[in-house]
Amino acid sequence: MCGIVGYVGQRPVQEILLAGLEKLEYRGYDSAGVSVLADGEIASVRAVGNLSKLRAAVLHANNGASPDAAAHGGTAVAVAELPVTSGIGHTRWATHGRVTESNAHPHFDTTDRVHVVVNGIVENYLFLKRRLADIGADFTSETDAEVIAHLVSHHMARGSLVEAVRAAYAELEGHYAFVCMSADEPGTLVGARKECPLIVGRGDGEQFVGSAIPAFLAHTRDVQVIENEEIVVLTARGVEFIAPDGTPIERAITRVDWDQSTAEKGGYETFMLKEIHEQADAVAETIADRTTRPDGVDLAEAELDESLLQGVDRILILAAGTSFHAGLIGRYAIEEWARIPVDMDIASEWRYRNPIVTDRELVIGITQSGETADTLAAMRLARERGARVLACTNVVGSQATRDADGVLYIRAGMEISVAATKTFVCQVAAMYLLALRLAELRGTMDRAQRTALVAEVKQLPTRITELTEGLDAPIKAAAERHADADFYLYLGRHVGRAVALEGALKLKEISYIATDAYAGGEMKHGPIALLDESTPVVCVATDMPILDKMISNIQEVRARGAHVIAIATEGDDRLEPVAEEVIYVPRTDWMLQALLAVIPLQLFAYYVARKRGLNVDQPRNLAKTVTVE
Ligand code: F6R
């Protein structure tokens, strides 16, 4: 996720902003920038790459020549020599638009009087962009975020910065947090929050704002949380919280006793747990502006020309590890909804079997890092042999994006823990979107069906939150009961098999316990020999057309005396009689249930590993990306 920092006070601002951004580096970024108010003008510096590049650019600007200011017609300001005491900064993890200086934040309006830093996503930015361009706004980036600078500027014609932010907020749809400043109101920062986090740090005659506490922890431990759907106004004297309708809100100051490392983890004990809890936000970003139409999904964007999806009569999905499991769910969704036959293979197998592909085939390479050697090699081979290739990845500018004809970004933000969690659910969400789009293009689903499914997809973030908030404690208790087992079997059928495979991978990867995962119907053909009273068997038994068959498999497991932990759909009372433990996930469309069903399994693996005292963020023998042949 991107990082925001803002400061207003008496001290020189540049170093505070740069040091604050450095404390947010752990969140991952590909470009960064700062804007400061000096002598009635806003000076802005942005740079692609790491923060040392930004520091160098700032130094250059301080010597009197801001390349960025010059580029957008602003004034180059030698800010080091001026009493510059308010400003905003940002680290960007690209989602909309490439990694370029003009796409880096802060973004600014046509007059260069309003600057803004934004996290998250503005769903209706295309609509707003067209409207603002029609009345003269000059857009200089490919981002959704820039629209906020123009919108606030537009509303400032009729009011103060805070009134303009309130008016803009009323028009913005999405999932975002932003902070803006205006050259016409020096010494004031105004922020707004809709879902994405934003937090205030209180000082003596100075105030801070950031997307996370590490941004200002070196200066203050007194914080005020900006709640969802609130606007905040910061001046050196103090901070005011208001509702979008202008009603003032009282907000207590709380003191945090976190150290830097706890603050980076947002108060969670590990990055993995933090990332499991970030899944609702991550999925919201993945689906946001792609589901603004009630009866369908729109995927066309700069790096995905939808003609790539037309005329496809066969699909092949290639991936490794967790990404392969996301692809398996994608396979079921595409076949079910779009009625296109989908083959799947492990990239490291497919590339060595002299594979056959045709130009009527779409090959989808799923790789969150965009750098896994086997997946990249398989994608390149598919292209050489005539197939069109779509990359599904989290990293803008990664090798996979260069080896593909189109890119479907998953927008999960940086994942620090080695075990993939939020990138997995975002890959699955992206597969659902693709399947729905293909269904519409091929006419295999009528409008009513599409409308119902899009509505369910939009509910996924809420349901994920219900799960991560509601199930954390009970799953911890269940995991601790079983943490001594030395072997686990995971079973599932149809889409539940993909979930079982992912649950088993997660447990073995972070707890070093032997696991196996099987299609429920295959169990009697061998693996059943492994079962006895000591074996926990995790059975994915959420709502699906062949749930009855899965229940029969569970009965076979029970006949061997093994202990069944079932993942079932809320309201389904068929599992209680056949399983010792049942964990319920919220009811939704049965295909979408797969995304929800994996979350208890992530938490389960996590708490088993923690009970065993293991470092889940860095499991042994694993690296986040595999680039070595
Ligand atoms: C498991 C995990 C790995 C990756 C695999 C592919 O938690 O993270 O199995 O899924 O190494 O990585 P990407 O998606 O980067 O190609």
Side-chain angles (χ1 to χ4, degrees):
M1 302 274 166
C2 308
I4 287 178
V5 59
Y7 174 81
V8 52
Q10 315 300 331
R11 289 192 276 162
V13 69
Q14 267 184 11
E15 188 48 38
I16 292 175
L17 296 179
L18 290 169
L21 291 179
E22 278 159 3
K23 296 294 184 195
L24 296 177
E25 277 193 295
Y26 69 94
R27 296 160 72 92
Y29 65 103
D30 44 50
S31 51
V34 289
S35 287
V36 299
L37 194 70
D39 211 15
E41 302 284 336
I42 299 178
S44 192
V45 181
R46 302 178 292 180
V48 169
N50 62 28
L51 286 171
S52 64
K53 299 266 175 27
L54 181 65
R55 275 194 179 276
V58 166
L59 200 66
H60 189 70
N62 286 347
N63 292 332
S66 157
D68 184 69
H72 67 253
T75 320
V77 182
V79 284
E81 288 146 29
L82 296 167
V84 183
T85 53
S86 62
I88 52 180
H90 191 264
T91 44
R92 172 175 190 248
W93 171 282
T95 55
H96 284 72
R98 291 157 301 147
V99 182
T100 60
E101 198 174 308
S102 55
N103 285 339
H105 303 216
H107 290 293
F108 46 86
D109 71 316
T110 311
T111 62
D112 201 21
R113 307 287 293 167
V114 173
H115 281 222
V116 63
V117 285
V118 185
N119 281 1
I121 189 156
V122 179
E123 288 172 15
N124 58 340
Y125 80 99
L126 280 175
F127 166 78
L128 292 170
K129 189 170 176 172
R130 273 195 293 270
R131 207 188 76 199
L132 289 159
D134 285 347
I135 53 173
D138 181 14
F139 281 82
T140 56
S141 80
E142 301 160 337
T143 68
D144 56 320
E146 187 186 347
V147 86
I148 299 182
H150 293 282
L151 196 58
V152 171
S153 167
H154 169 69
H155 287 299
M156 275 195 84
R158 283 183 297 281
S160 65
L161 181 59
V162 60
E163 283 159 1
V165 167
R166 279 182 46 214
Y169 180 89
E171 293 186 78
L172 292 165
E173 287 167 20
H175 184 92
Y176 54 78
F178 68 84
V179 179
C180 63
M181 62 195 285
S182 163
D184 299 316
E185 284 190 37
T188 303
L189 300 181
V190 181
R193 170 179 176 198
K194 204 169 202 173
E195 309 291 348
C196 289
L198 198 62
I199 192 151
V200 164
R202 297 299 301 264
D204 188 8
E206 59 181 2
Q207 320 300 339
F208 304 81
V209 61
S211 49
I213 291 175
F216 50 71
L217 192 64
H219 306 285
T220 180
R221 290 176 174 277
D222 291 336
V223 306
Q224 285 175 303
V225 177
I226 305 169
E227 298 291 357
N228 195 22
E229 305 197 355
E230 283 182 1
I231 290 168
V232 68
V233 186
L234 296 95
T235 62
R237 289 180 312 283
V239 180
E240 286 167 29
F241 288 75
I242 52 174
D245 66 2
T247 313
I249 297 169
E250 288 295 318
R251 182 61 31 81
I253 297 178
T254 46
R255 177 160 279 244
V256 289
D257 57 4
W258 296 352
D259 59 16
Q260 182 67 26
S261 154
T262 318
E264 286 184 359
K265 293 176 195 128
Y268 291 100
E269 58 179 10
T270 61
F271 280 112
M272 184 173 169
L273 191 58
K274 172 174 179 271
E275 285 159 5
I276 288 175
H277 282 268
E278 278 172 359
Q279 294 185 110
D281 279 352
V283 169
E285 286 222 16
T286 305
I287 62 177
D289 59 325
R290 291 154 168 171
T291 51
T292 50
R293 192 158 50 89
D295 59 351
V297 161
D298 296 297
L299 297 178
E301 53 192 38
E303 296 190 57
L304 180 51
D305 176 347
E306 283 199 341
S307 61
L308 189 64
L309 307 181
Q310 274 146 10
V312 170
D313 57 19
R314 224 178 161 82
I315 289 177
L316 169 66
I317 301 180
L318 299 170
T322 285
S323 298
F324 179 81
H325 301 151
L328 262 179
I329 298 176
R331 170 201 222 171
Y332 287 113
I334 295 169
E335 289 195 340
E336 184 72 25
W337 295 340
R339 306 306 295 151
I340 303 174
V342 183
D343 288 323
M344 282 283 322
D345 210 344
I346 294 164
S348 58
E349 286 293 312
W350 186 82
R351 61 180 286 210
Y352 295 114
R353 65 175 163 93
N354 195 9
I356 304 160
V357 274
T358 71
D359 58 6
R360 301 283 299 163
E361 213 156 333
L362 178 69
V363 170
I364 306 175
I366 307 181
T367 163
Q368 79 82 17
S369 62
E371 303 291 349
T372 296
D374 284 313
T375 308
L376 295 177
M379 288 165 61
R380 280 195 291 267
L381 184 61
R383 244 175 148 192
E384 276 162 30
R385 298 197 172 183
R388 288 168 290 167
V389 173
L390 175 70
C392 176
T393 185
N394 195 29
V395 184
V396 175
S398 58
Q399 189 58 43
T401 68
R402 297 195 285 275
D403 289 341
D405 300 296
V407 187
L408 176 60
Y409 287 109
I410 64 168
R411 303 182 187 153
M414 166 97 164
E415 190 165 62
I416 294 172
S417 170
V418 172
T421 54
K422 65 175 179 169
T423 52
F424 173 77
V425 292
C426 288
Q427 286 169 336
V428 174
M431 288 297 109
Y432 290 146
L433 296 178
L434 181 64
L436 275 166
R437 185 67 191 134
L438 288 167
E440 186 171 359
L441 289 172
R442 290 171 66 89
T444 50
M445 218 187 245
D446 65 29
R447 173 173 292 190
Q449 286 173 302
R450 290 198 314 265
T451 305
L453 269 169
V454 169
E456 289 295 321
V457 167
K458 290 179 88 152
Q459 281 301 310
L460 282 173
T462 312
R463 299 203 160 113
I464 295 171
T465 305
E466 278 172 42
L467 267 172
T468 48
E469 301 299 319
L471 279 188
D472 195 294
I475 291 191
K476 181 168 189 237
E480 289 179 353
R481 281 196 295 278
H482 297 288
D484 291 336
D486 53 15
F487 171 70
Y488 279 73
L489 185 65
Y490 284 69
L491 297 176
R493 296 189 75 132
H494 195 276
V495 76
R497 180 170 78 94
V499 177
L501 285 164
E502 176 57 11
L505 177 68
K506 222 80 307 174
L507 186 66
K508 68 164 73 93
E509 179 184 15
I510 61 170
S511 70
Y512 319 145
I513 299 174
T515 65
D516 215 339
Y518 264 87
E522 273 293 285
M523 189 194 48
K524 56 181 169 293
H525 302 291
I528 198 161
L530 291 168
L531 301 183
D532 62 27
E533 291 74 19
S534 68
T535 324
V537 183
V538 179
C539 298
V540 182
T542 47
D543 187 27
M544 69 179 98
I546 58 161
L547 180 57
D548 286 347
K549 299 221 173 294
M550 186 63 214
I551 292 177
S552 304
N553 299 139
I554 293 176
Q555 280 157 339
E556 289 160 11
V557 170
R558 285 295 296 280
R560 289 283 167 142
H563 182 99
V564 173
I565 305 164
I567 310 297
T569 303
E570 228 166 50
D572 190 337
D573 54 11
R574 284 173 289 175
L575 276 308
E576 299 270 352
V578 293
E580 277 88 355
E581 295 173 63
V582 185
I583 295 165
Y584 289 101
V585 298
R587 183 171 288 278
T588 178
D589 173 83
W590 67 267
M591 186 68 77
L592 304 181
Q593 201 93 59
L595 184 150
L596 299 180
V598 84
I599 294 170
L601 302 189
Q602 295 169 339
L603 283 166
F604 187 81
Y606 176 81
Y607 283 118
V608 168
R610 292 301 287 160
K611 178 74 176 166
R612 292 182 159 222
L614 298 166
N615 173 3
V616 297
D617 284 340
Q618 284 295 332
R620 66 183 180 212
N621 301 335
L622 285 169
K624 187 78 216 174
T625 61
V626 187
T627 47
V628 187
E629 281 281 56

